[in-house]
Every structure is written in structure tokens, then in C-alpha cells.
Amino acid sequence: MTRVISILFWLSLAAVLAFITLPLLVVVAASFSPTATVTFQPFEWTFRWYGDLLSNRWLDPFLTSLKIATVVAATSGVLGLLAAYCIVYERLPGSDVLMSYLLSPLSVPQIVKGVAIVLFLSMIGFQGFLGTPALIAAHVVLALPFVTRMVATSLANFDANLDRAAQILGAGKLQRIRHVLLPMIKPGVLSGVTFAFIISFNNIPLSVFLVRPGDSTLPITVINYLEYSLDPVMAAVNVASMAFILVVIFLFEKIGGFSAQIHGGSK
Amino acid sequence: MSSLALDSSPPRTRRRFTGWFSYLALSPSLVVLAIFFALPMGIMIGMSFADPQTLSPTLDNYHRFLTDGLSLAGFCRTAIMSLLVAVCVTALGYPVAYFLARSRTRWRAVVFALALSPELAGVVLRTYGWLIILEDRGFINDVLLYLGLIASPLPLSKNLFAVVVGLTHVVLPFGILSLMTSIQGIDPNLERAAQMLGASRLSVIRFIVLPLSVPGIVSSMLIAFTMAASAYATPALLGGAGFKVLATMIYEQVLFYINWPFASVMAISLLVMMLAISFAGVRYESRRRLRTAGAKGDN
């Protein structure tokens, strides 16, 4: 009986893991297949679709997404760092209220935020703002609460005795921030910035309202295309964009991101 | 969030300088959120009370939402779909979470990476994968036709089934994480004790692990429900015109019918659904805290 149950447990575990990995494997396989349909029969491998990626059709939206995500990551990183510093470290009066105000966008679904922003822009007659500027503004609103929360968490874990020790040894305020506080919370800030980059780069529900023909992000271009065609070039686009995200994570990790945090960088 | 403010207590010097400087440093965030979040939300709520033609104040949009049949049906479809996703995510995530919480072997790292890797792939890639698998000439139909088990392709896409499968896949990593945290909090000695007293593996799960992980089950269901209800890309691609949810209906109202007031009403209905679910979660959590605090007080 016990044996049967443990076999069932392992089977269910394997089934769930297969369910998780299946669509990813299928997309990778499709990106090398000559036709859009993935069959279990052997097919000729081709790299043709990856060659097609270098056309303007895919490069332009990729560069737009890259530009937007970079600006969003930098802006929300700086704003989130300043906001979390003031609220958690300086403990301004009313910090609880300020913090819940800064985190309030988290409780509103993205699609609702998207409607509100595009409605607002058309009310004040700023339709020309659609495209990159509106996307940047909306993605900052989306990313800022996440960054603020991540930085606030690492600030809350920051040992204030280190700060006191530096002060006793005669360090000024700016010196303490520069040489004690910032190095200690760097992993939190970097993971916040990476996260902001990824949610901007992959975003759909907000972007879908704010793009403009000729000024569209990569994921939106892809889903508009997918609505009427399952062209295998889409698989290549998706695999390439996932590889790009992995490279971004790897780079930030190299600068000293998450694993430092996991392995007790701040605690 | 209040706990965040309590932990660090930096030395208090030169308050006057830090006072105005802090407000100055904080102001960009406050202003950005005011202009691009608070103000638009206010305008949207105001717009929901405006007549689509004349913009004069009216309750007609809400009346239409409740009576035209289609909108309320979309609302219910969204709720049912999200509930199904919540159940699937929790049921599928539980064995993985249990393994991750209890395993001490090196397979743990492998399973952990496999379980969370889809999160890096983005929603479009995964949804595209499910499109290839589920469409009429897709992978599953292809295999079944080849084996001669079916005569014509099964309708696997553009319906509730496809959307639930796709969304379950999107949300599963979050469900696994929250279940894992909860199971890790259960003392493994309880399971050992029960086993030593002769309980079978099944009754250990049934009477020890499951009851103690109820908070994790609740939070995994809440996360899954809210993520599913507000998802856009997966229902748009896997459901299409055959299975419309609030998110895709809102998109239609904005970009095809250009009916701002009605789009606002639909967006508000989605927001209300989310807030109701989150409120239920917060209430459950605070009552549980009270109960456990009371139980500890008795000892």
C-alpha cells in the first residue's frame, strides 16, 4: 500500500513537471522546424527562422522594447530607491500612509490601469503621447511599487548598528550612505531594477492600449501577429527573446545581484 | 507594510536637514503616481457615470452592465475560469511543493529550476506553446489522429478548456512557491511522530500535512484567482472570440467600440472582483492569526 502511494506521488510529480516544461520544449522544437505544425515525426532541422529575425520587422520592436525597458528600469530604480530610503530609513511622519500610497497600484489589475491611462491621455488631448512616452510612463507606474517594496525590504533588514558604528568613527551622513548603506542594500536594489526591466520588456496588458502603429513593443507585435498566424518565425522570436532575458539576468547577477541576497548578503 | 518601518532605527541627527531633503527626494515618486495612476483612476471612475454621447451624469452604464446579459455573463465566465485555475494550480502545485519542502537530495535543485523556469519565458512564449499543442491541427490532435483514436480533430482551443490550461501553466510557479513556504513551516517531527505511531503515508498526508497547510492552500488559490482574473494575453490568444473574459471585453470596448464609459464600468467590475477576493484573503489571514494567538495563549 505504501509502495503504491509513493509510486503515485512520483508519477504525479513527473506529470506536473512534464506539464510545466512541455510548451517550452514545443516552442523550441517549432523554432527549428520547417512548418508551424509540430509533429512527433522527424523533420528537417532549419535555422531559417532565426535568420529572419534580423529583418526590421522584428528588430524595430525589439529595439523599442529594449529602449523602454532600460529607461523604465533606470527611472523606477532611482525613484524607488529614493522613496524607500525616505520612508523606511528616514522614517518620515506618516510613513505608513505614504507606503500604502506608493504600493496601491499593486492592487489594481494592469488592464484596468491601462484603460485609466489611455482614457486620461485622450481626455487631456495627449494622443500624440501614445507610443514610447506613454509606455514609459505606464511601465514606471507598474514597476515602481515592486522596486520600492524590494528596496524597502532590504532596508528593513539593514543592521542600523553598522550605521551607528560608522557614525561613532566620525563618518558624515553622505559618507555613511555612500560607504555603508548603499553597498549593503545593493543586492535588493539590483534585483528590483532587474525585475523592473523584465516586467517592462515582457509587458502586455498595459502596453496593448498604449502602442501606436510603427511604435510597438516586441510582445505586442508578437501577439498581434499570433492572432492570425502560427508562423514558426514566432517561435524563433520567442526563443530569442527568452534567451535575451536570461542574458540580462545573468549580467545583473554578475554585477552582484540576487544570489548575494540569497546567500546572506544582507542579514 | 508597517513592520518594515519598525526594524531599522538609524541614529537621529540633523533632523531639520533630512526633513526637507526627504520630502524633496520622495516627491518624484508621489507625483508620478499621482499623474499616471491616481488621477487616471479618478477620471475612469467619473467616466463610468457619464453618458456615452453627451457625457452628462447618468447611471445607465451600470444599468446596461447588469441587464444586457452579455456583460454579466462575461463577469461570471471570468469568475468561473479564475476559480477553475485556482483549483488546478493548487492541486497540481501541491505534490511539487511538498517535494520541494521536504526533499534533501540534489534533485531538489533540479525540480526547483524546472518548476520556476517558465516564469522567465514570458507569457507569450508559453501561450504560443499551448497554441501549437492544442489547436485543431496541433500536436495532441495530430497524435490522436495518427493513432486512429479520433476521426476528426477535438475542439481543444478557443474555449474554456484551453484558457484554463494556459492560465494554470502561467500561474503554477506562484502557487508552488506559496504552497512550498507553507509546507516548510510544518514541523517534520509531526509527520515522523504520526508514522512511528503507525499511521500510513496516506493518513499522514490526510490528517497532518493537509490540515496544517490550509493557509498555504488558501493563499495559493487567492494568488491564482487574482492573476487569472486579470490576465489578458492568454485568454485573448487561447480563448479568442470563442471564450471572452472581462479583460478581453474591456479591450474590445476601448479599441473597437470606443465606448469609454462602458469600458470604465467593465474595468471597475473587474477591480471590484479583485478587491473582494483580496479582502476575503486579508480577513481570513487576520482571523487565523487571532485563532492561533488564542490557542497559544491557552497553554
Side-chain angles (χ1 to χ4, degrees), chain B residues 227-279:
Chain B
M227 286 186 71
S230 58
Y232 168 76
T234 311
L237 291 174
L238 287 169
F243 188 79
K244 286 185 193 168
V245 292
L246 276 180
T248 48
M249 289 162 80
I250 292 170
Y251 177 81
E252 268 184 355
Q253 286 297 329
V254 171
L255 284 139
F256 298 142
Y257 302 111
I258 317 184
N259 188 339
W260 291 111
F262 200 56
S264 305
V265 172
M266 286 189 156
I268 288 168
S269 78
L270 178 61
L271 183 60
V272 168
M273 189 197 285
M274 307 289 273
L275 292 180
I277 291 291
S278 316
F279 179 73

Side-chain angles (χ1 to χ4, degrees), chain A residues 32-53:
Chain A
F32 293 109
S33 106
T35 59
T37 48
V38 175
T39 57
F40 56 97
Q41 291 140 9
F43 53 77
E44 294 272 322
W45 290 70
T46 170
F47 285 91
R48 193 168 60 144
W49 311 118
Y50 286 94
D52 284 3
L53 293 186

Side-chain angles (χ1 to χ4, degrees), chain A residues 20 39 86 89 101 164 167 230-231, chain B residues 9-11 30 34 118 142 169:
Chain A
I20 291 175
T39 57
C86 296
Y89 188 80
Y101 171 67
R164 291 201 192 92
Q167 195 181 19
L230 286 182
D231 202 324
Chain B
S9 48
L30 302 180
D142 192 44
H169 190 262

Side-chain angles (χ1 to χ4, degrees), chain A residues 243-267:
Chain A
F244 174 73
I245 289 290
L246 288 177
V247 169
V248 168
I249 293 174
F250 177 76
L251 286 181
F252 274 102
E253 162 68 40
K254 274 282 158 207
I255 309 175
F258 336 103
S259 56
Q261 197 174 31
I262 294 163
H263 299 308
S266 62
K267 186 95 203 223

Side-chain angles (χ1 to χ4, degrees), chain A residues 75-151:
Chain A
T75 313
S76 50
V78 171
L79 294 186
L81 176 61
L82 286 175
Y85 170 81
C86 296
I87 290 178
V88 181
Y89 188 80
E90 298 288 354
R91 276 204 268 158
L92 291 180
S95 53
D96 280 358
V97 178
L98 287 171
M99 198 52 154
S100 19
Y101 171 67
L102 285 174
L103 297 184
S104 61
L106 289 177
S107 48
V108 176
Q110 288 189 40
I111 192 122
V112 177
K113 279 182 274 204
V115 173
I117 292 174
V118 72
L119 170 62
F120 166 69
L121 291 178
S122 69
M123 286 281 285
I124 60 168
F126 267 43
Q127 279 97 338
F129 199 61
L130 288 177
T132 306
L135 286 163
I136 290 175
H139 288 187
V140 167
V141 169
L142 177 67
L144 186 54
F146 286 107
V147 179
T148 309
R149 193 167 60 178
M150 284 179 173
V151 179

